[in-house]
Structure formats: C-alpha cells, structure tokens
Amino acid sequence: MPETILTPPLAAAAIEDRSSARNPRRMPGATAEAEAALTVAWARDDDEVREAQALRHEVFVGEMGARLDLPPGTPAGLDVDRYDAFCEHLLVRAPGDGAEPGPVVGTYRVMTPAAAARAGGLYSENEFDLAPLAPLRTTMVELGRSCVHPDWRSGGVVMALWAALATFMARNGLQTMVGCASVGMRDGGHAAASLWRRLEASHLAAPEWRVRPRLALPVEELRQDLDVDAPPLLKGYLRCGARVLGAPAWDPDFNTADLPVMLRLDDLPARYRRHFLGA
C-alpha cells in the first residue's frame, strides 16, 4: 500500500522556496517495488503546483495534442488555467533519490465548495449546465486535470490518488465528486457516441441529477453501434459506483468528448469503502 501523506492544503500551508529540489532527472520505472514506495501529498507551494502543471502539459499537449488557451506570461511547458489558483493539487511522487523528492507521476486538482464560490463557478460549468446539482453544492467537489505519466499507468498511481481523495472527502465532510471523463476523438467521435449510448442504458444518473452540455457532441450524426471499452479512468469510476449525468459535450481544444460524471461516497461498494476508507 503506498504511503499516503495528507499535508495541509495550499491555502493553509506556509509557502517555502524549494526550487532547488525541482531539477528534472530520468524518470524511474514503475516496478512493483517502486509502486510500493509511492508517496501522495497535497502541493504546498507554487513550485509543487508547477510540477503538476508540467506533467499535465506532457500528457495533454505532448500525447493528446491539446491546444491550450494559456494565461499571458505562462512559462513554456506548463498547462495552466485560471482555475488552478483556486484549487488544491494532489501529487503522487515516484521514489526519490536520497533526500531529494521523486518526480511527480500522477496528479489531480480538486476544487472545494468554498473555492468554487471564490472562482465564480466550476471548470465543468464551461461545458455543462450544472443547475440540477445545486442541492449538492455545499458538500460537492470537482475533480479535474487528472493524469498519470505514461511510464506509471499500471494502476498503482491511480489507486494512491483515489485513496487520498477518499480520505480528504471523509475528513472534510464532503460527499459528492463531479468532473468530466474524457474520451478521445481521433476517430471523429464515433467511439465516444457509441460509448455514451451504452452508458446511457447502464449507468445514467437519476433524472433529478441530469445535466445538459453547452456544446453537445453530435451523437445522432455519428455511429452508435461500435463495441467500445470505456477508458481506464472512467471504467474505474464506474466500478466505484459513479453515474453519468448526461450526454457528452465536445471539447474542441482538447479534441475530446467529455462525459459528466458524479460519484457519491454513499454509493461506494462495500469493498471499495473498506479499501479507501477502512469502513
């Protein structure tokens, strides 16, 4: 089981300069021994946030070909948007070299209800009308910008992230997680439309929680009969009891179809409650 270190969130932590510990170095491999030595912590300063942003850029731009609308003055090689400053950033690190911390190999950003109020709303509200979720807002967090380094996608990093997130939710009296699960559209969207039709029949949320996309994927113009597997992250959410809140939005910048997903702690199957919460 990876070591989980839940440090105070950025807003409550002292800011210190650790830039000397951020030198890039060769990425270690995801061996079983290395996965057992993963550490998880909340970013405590701007340098650590930038490490998460660098990993996001590597995955979203380098792998997926995303076109980012960056704030003026953003350093090269970072994925930054206006919501980052309001969010807590969860980091998974590979084993370090002596006293030096290991590189960030996985990340999530988390927007709490108070942070969403300060930011003027959630990131996913740019893609969906979330008005039906208003009754859940006081105990609802948004998960976003999740990614794992390509050398570390055997599952250990995601499990470490989820364990830390579940503990964070329980300790802070939070109940609901929402976010967008992205499906690549290199095939023009046919796989995403087919996946949506399957999930609509099997994992659609109750009518009172359903939301509408602002820029809908044109499902009716696409094939809907392909035998498509859900991406690994979405598949994991569904195993944990997540529900799809409605039809996918089209994100032209990231070239993805985004499915709105909600997971409530009360819906976690018993085996996952024991694994993540010890309950």
Side-chain angles (χ1 to χ4, degrees):
M1 178 72 180
E3 178 187 7
T4 300
I5 306 171
L6 292 178
T7 58
L10 185 59
I15 304 300
E16 53 184 307
D17 181 9
R18 294 196 218 96
S19 58
S20 62
R22 304 294 184 264
N23 294 327
R25 55 190 181 279
R26 188 178 64 83
M27 182 68 65
T31 63
E33 181 180 1
E35 285 200 345
L38 292 170
T39 57
V40 188
W42 297 97
R44 294 169 292 181
D45 58 37
D46 290 342
D47 286 330
E48 291 188 334
V49 173
R50 282 192 285 270
E51 288 186 272
Q53 293 167 336
L55 176 61
R56 285 161 29 183
H57 189 280
E58 180 178 350
V59 172
F60 299 140
V61 178
E63 284 190 59
M64 297 171 54
R67 302 188 307 270
L68 302 179
D69 183 15
L70 299 171
T74 299
L78 299 183
D79 164 32
V80 180
D81 71 12
R82 78 171 194 87
Y83 295 93
D84 279 331
F86 298 96
C87 292
E88 309 299 341
H89 299 263
L90 187 58
L91 314 177
V92 176
R93 291 188 181 278
D97 180 12
E100 190 173 353
V104 171
V105 295
T107 186
Y108 262 107
R109 75 175 184 191
V110 181
M111 186 177 286
T112 64
R118 294 193 300 272
L122 302 171
Y123 172 87
S124 51
E125 288 182 283
N126 295 300
E127 296 195 69
F128 299 94
D129 177 2
L130 300 184
L133 305 185
L136 307 176
R137 289 275 189 164
T138 58
T139 59
M140 185 177 82
V141 303
E142 179 185 58
L143 307 181
R145 288 301 205 267
S146 60
C147 62
V148 176
H149 189 279
D151 292 344
W152 287 82
R153 291 178 183 163
S154 59
V157 171
V158 169
M159 294 301 284
L161 286 164
W162 286 0
L165 285 169
T167 302
F168 175 82
M169 296 282 290
R171 286 183 178 176
N172 289 282
L174 300 166
Q175 170 59 36
T176 303
M177 293 173 274
V178 297
C180 299
S182 297
V183 182
M185 287 183 51
R186 291 184 176 177
D187 71 340
H190 302 290
S194 298
L195 178 61
W196 155 241
R197 286 305 187 203
R198 179 159 64 81
L199 296 178
E200 182 184 23
S202 61
H203 288 84
L204 191 59
E208 62 267 28
W209 305 129
R210 293 178 194 169
V211 305
R212 300 175 70 88
R214 301 192 187 279
L215 178 60
L217 181 73
V219 172
E220 300 302 332
E221 301 173 16
L222 300 168
R223 289 192 61 179
Q224 303 165 41
D225 60 346
L226 300 178
D227 185 12
V228 179
D229 256 352
L233 189 62
L234 176 56
K235 190 181 295 185
Y237 288 153
L238 298 175
R239 282 199 212 102
C240 288
R243 290 285 159 179
V244 178
L245 299 174
W250 175 40
D251 184 339
D253 291 334
F254 280 77
N255 195 30
T256 59
D258 291 344
L259 286 161
V261 176
M262 178 174 73
L263 174 60
R264 309 194 73 191
L265 289 189
D266 285 349
D267 295 332
L268 276 175
R271 67 184 184 277
Y272 290 111
R273 293 188 67 83
R274 289 192 298 270
H275 183 80
F276 294 132
L277 298 170

